[in-house]
Amino acid sequence: MISAGISSALCVRPIVSFSNTIRGVHNHGRVTCLATSMSSTSMTVARDAEKDLESRKYDLLNIIQDTQRGLVTTADQRSTIEEAMVVVEGFDAGKEIDLSKLDGTWRLQYTSAPDVVVLFESAARLPFLQVGQIFQKFECQNESGGGLVRNVIKWSVPRLLEENEGATLIVSAKFSCVSARNIYLKFEEISLQNINISDDLQAVIAPAFLPRSFLSLQILQFIRTFKAQVPVTSRPERQSVGGLYYLSYLDKNMLLGRAVGGGGVFIFTRAQALAC
């Protein structure tokens, strides 16, 4: 009986083991197919979301295209721009600031900030002032909680300086991350540099048809290398609301920001590296 029992056990065990193996193979196949299906679905959803985001960003840039960076807008346009910004911001809501993405140069495409719009209004009214490109340059590649930001304004005086880029005004500030999305700006210095005089003014200082004297060459060199720097003093015991800046959206080619305290909105796109 014992021998028969052992014999029976030896005969039965392989059958059970084989059956379990077959079942396990089938189950593994189902799990693998399910995982592959879920991965494929996830990739499709991610691609669709990315396409939707790029479409929304394009719509936003298209809406602001004819506003002259915020100079010419109606109340309805500003409302439409605000709605389009909120849609784009929704794709990035709640994420912490990625300083590696923020690092670099950003070109201003639109703003409602009064202290910037007034520059555009002045240039539109005054024939002797031109406002060229405006940039924000962040330097925070190897930083963990802040860095340096430079607000760069290209401007000119027609017939005296080169068109649109006759001179550069730079407002420098240190910034620190005070929350997941807010940075605090502490302004440090205002500088005027990179003065490029027009051909007309250069001809007056050193006429091409006359030998250039040492004095005229010195004047030209002085103008080209001129740089004025003015420190910005602030009260260290408190932080002004005007220095808070909310980064509402950030990716590799678009930056949206809001000045806390009703200071306006900003729309930037990535630009080539700027030396300043």
Side-chain angles (χ1 to χ4, degrees), residues 6-264:
I6 293 174
S7 177
S8 299
L10 290 174
C11 291
V12 170
R13 189 174 292 114
I15 296 174
V16 173
S17 177
F18 179 74
S19 175
N20 289 340
T21 302
I22 296 298
R23 190 179 299 113
V25 169
H26 283 301
N27 289 339
H28 178 71
R30 292 194 194 100
V31 172
T32 302
C33 290
L34 180 60
T36 303
S37 176
M38 290 177 64
S39 176
S40 177
T41 301
S42 178
M43 291 176 61
T44 301
V45 170
R47 281 196 299 267
D48 290 345
E50 185 175 355
K51 288 180 181 178
D52 189 24
L53 171 58
E54 292 302 318
S55 176
R56 300 294 186 174
K57 287 162 58 179
Y58 174 81
D59 290 343
L60 176 57
L61 293 176
N62 191 49
I63 292 170
I64 65 174
Q65 187 173 11
D66 297 324
T67 66
Q68 297 181 38
R69 294 182 290 182
L71 173 63
V72 183
T73 57
T74 64
D76 287 342
Q77 282 178 309
R78 288 191 292 273
S79 178
T80 302
I81 292 168
E82 174 66 23
E83 291 175 1
M85 283 187 66
V86 170
V87 171
V88 174
E89 290 166 347
F91 285 88
D92 198 35
K95 297 180 183 178
E96 193 171 350
I97 299 168
D98 186 341
L99 294 182
S100 64
K101 287 183 180 179
L102 184 61
D103 184 81
T105 304
W106 301 87
R107 185 194 309 273
L108 180 69
Q109 301 292 349
Y110 171 86
T111 185
S112 61
D115 56 343
V116 180
V117 174
V118 71
L119 295 177
F120 303 147
E121 292 173 343
S122 298
R125 289 197 310 266
L126 304 175
F128 55 83
L129 176 64
Q130 290 180 340
V131 177
Q133 297 294 337
I134 297 178
F135 303 91
Q136 272 194 342
K137 182 181 180 183
F138 286 90
E139 299 175 12
C140 50
Q141 183 64 49
N142 299 316
E143 302 293 336
S144 59
L148 183 69
V149 58
R150 305 180 197 274
N151 296 297
V152 182
I153 303 171
K154 301 286 188 177
W155 62 280
S156 184
V157 178
R159 300 187 64 83
L160 295 180
L161 303 177
E162 287 186 3
E163 188 173 354
N164 290 322
E165 295 193 358
T168 302
L169 181 69
I170 301 176
V171 182
S172 302
K174 285 185 178 179
F175 76 89
S176 56
C177 302
V178 296
S179 69
R181 283 286 175 176
N182 283 300
I183 63 175
Y184 176 73
L185 306 178
K186 183 179 180 182
F187 296 99
E188 294 193 321
E189 181 183 85
I190 300 174
S191 65
L192 176 65
Q193 61 188 58
N194 299 336
I195 298 178
N196 302 306
I197 63 176
S198 66
D199 291 339
D200 292 342
L201 180 57
Q202 192 170 163
V204 171
I205 297 173
F209 55 85
L210 293 177
R212 293 192 171 184
S213 66
F214 175 77
L215 178 60
S216 65
L217 291 175
Q218 286 293 98
I219 293 174
L220 291 175
Q221 181 65 18
F222 172 78
I223 293 174
R224 291 189 184 114
T225 59
F226 176 80
K227 181 178 181 179
Q229 297 172 290
V230 180
V232 178
T233 58
S234 60
R235 299 170 66 177
E237 66 273 12
R238 67 172 188 168
Q239 295 183 345
S240 169
V241 173
L244 282 175
Y245 190 38
Y246 177 67
L247 302 178
S248 57
Y249 179 83
L250 171 65
D251 67 11
K252 62 182 180 180
N253 54 33
M254 177 174 278
L255 169 64
L256 306 182
R258 296 175 180 271
V260 176

